[in-house]
Amino acid sequence: MEVEIDKKTKREIKKTVKKILKGCSLNTMTEKSVREKASAELDLDIDLNDASYKAIVSDCVEEFLVKVKAESEEKRAQLQRPTTT
């Protein structure tokens, strides 16, 4: 059964997840550990392992990784451009 999630709660979850992702090693952090850390940080009586909340966290992690990859590729492209003098 899907839980109806209000916009404020969704915003708080996304904000917390992004904060966690910015401060962690992306090589070792898992979605499950992100959910656990976010659950601990949020002062809400919710279980982020519930399917509805899990989807929000998963989408947020995916968005974050896509952004990080794009930024990394842009930096790599800038380093490979020939410099003109």
Side-chain angles (χ1 to χ4, degrees):
M1 180 173 94
E2 290 231 357
V3 177
E4 186 66 34
I5 305 166
D6 64 83
K7 290 180 182 181
K8 182 182 177 191
T9 301
K10 192 181 269 191
R11 245 189 335 270
E12 283 298 312
I13 292 169
K14 287 182 174 190
K15 179 181 165 186
T16 303
V17 168
K18 287 177 186 175
K19 183 180 93 174
I20 291 167
L21 291 171
K22 286 179 183 179
C24 75
S25 168
L26 297 178
N27 293 323
T28 59
M29 186 64 79
T30 64
E31 270 190 42
K32 182 177 181 180
S33 58
V34 170
R35 286 194 308 274
E36 289 171 352
K37 283 183 88 116
S39 287
E41 287 188 28
L42 289 166
D43 192 23
L44 304 170
D45 188 27
I46 58 175
D47 179 9
L48 294 182
N49 288 312
D50 179 270
S52 299
Y53 296 110
K54 199 174 188 177
I56 294 170
V57 174
S58 183
D59 290 346
C60 191
V61 169
E62 180 69 24
E63 289 172 16
F64 185 84
L65 293 176
V66 167
K67 181 180 175 189
V68 167
K69 182 179 178 186
E71 290 171 354
S72 176
E73 289 173 352
E74 177 61 29
K75 285 179 185 177
R76 187 177 299 119
Q78 287 176 353
L79 291 173
Q80 292 177 347
R81 289 185 191 133
T83 56
T84 56
T85 54

